[in-house]
Amino acid sequence: MGALTHASLVEYLLEEAYEVAETIETGGNDAELRGELGDVLLQVVLHARLAEERGSFAFDDVARGLSAKMVRRNPHVFRPDGTLQDSFPATVEEIVQKWDAVKQAERPERKHPFEGIPEALPALARAQKSLDRAERAGVKLTGGLSTGSVPVPDTEEELGELLLAIVGSARARGFDAERALRGAVRRCQER
């Protein structure tokens, strides 16, 4: 096995994250979830150790940075000293507004709501994240079909079956559904 690098570990980080999701979505027990979360944490430890070996940062720096970010980005929960607020916003909308305002203040160079969405996300996750960001920013995404014009099944299970059928039909015609959706999201974001 070659030397460990951040790049050589990426596939394992992603795999372990998907294993956590699968454990949760398939109703895995607490012991399974604990083990899978440990596997993700191991990936974080390995990346931090590589950074520490080159003199950049250590695991403790990651933990301190996370703590500071959570306090900074959640002023509705924490006081600047990290203690809990006496009262909290009444609605989820108020929490989201505060969160978005803090993130915008942290990253004023971001000029549109889609900056910061990882391009490496699978197309469906990128589409959902883009639609969420657009809605929160009051931006209307326009595409070939309006998002409200497509009939949606009544359950997630039915939605999954419909999506699988669409992918199957696309595949039968020689289309790459993932690439097609990436292109549609990209075109909507550019408008």
Side-chain angles (χ1 to χ4, degrees):
M1 183 172 176
L4 293 180
T5 66
H6 291 294
S8 73
L9 291 173
V10 166
E11 69 178 285
Y12 304 108
L13 176 62
L14 294 173
E15 181 181 331
E16 297 301 349
Y18 279 116
E19 287 179 12
V20 168
E22 182 178 338
T23 299
I24 292 168
E25 291 172 354
T26 60
N29 64 39
D30 286 344
E32 291 171 299
L33 180 58
R34 182 181 62 237
E36 295 302 343
L37 289 171
D39 292 345
V40 170
L41 185 56
L42 173 61
Q43 295 303 310
V44 174
V45 169
L46 288 172
H47 282 279
R49 180 66 183 152
L50 289 174
E52 185 176 13
E53 287 177 1
R54 67 173 191 276
S56 182
F57 60 85
F59 182 81
D60 288 349
D61 299 313
V62 173
R64 276 192 296 277
L66 174 61
S67 178
K69 181 165 77 171
M70 288 299 99
V71 168
R72 185 178 64 249
R73 287 194 178 172
N74 294 282
H76 55 282
V77 176
F78 301 104
R79 293 184 184 103
D81 68 359
T83 60
L84 290 176
Q85 293 284 0
D86 293 326
S87 62
F88 304 101
T91 66
V92 172
E93 291 78 22
E94 289 174 325
I95 292 170
V96 169
Q97 286 173 347
K98 286 182 182 292
W99 174 271
D100 286 343
V102 170
K103 284 189 74 173
Q104 181 59 43
E106 286 179 358
R107 305 295 296 267
E109 72 278 6
R110 289 190 175 171
K111 300 301 180 204
H112 65 76
F114 310 117
E115 286 185 64
I117 298 175
E119 291 194 24
L121 275 179
L124 200 55
R126 188 169 166 76
Q128 186 142 342
K129 187 86 162 166
S130 296
L131 291 169
D132 178 56
R133 289 266 189 98
E135 181 181 320
R136 286 168 46 190
V139 174
K140 178 77 171 143
L141 284 186
T142 57
L145 295 172
S146 131
T147 56
S149 68
V150 179
V152 178
D154 294 324
T155 67
E156 278 194 6
E157 184 176 318
E158 291 173 356
L159 175 60
E161 296 298 327
L162 176 60
L163 290 169
L164 183 58
I166 291 169
V167 170
S169 295
R171 182 180 164 277
R173 301 233 6 226
F175 298 145
D176 180 318
E178 182 80 7
R179 183 175 53 230
L181 183 54
R182 276 195 312 268
V185 170
R186 193 170 33 256
R187 288 187 298 278
C188 281
Q189 288 178 348
E190 290 170 354
R191 288 189 189 108

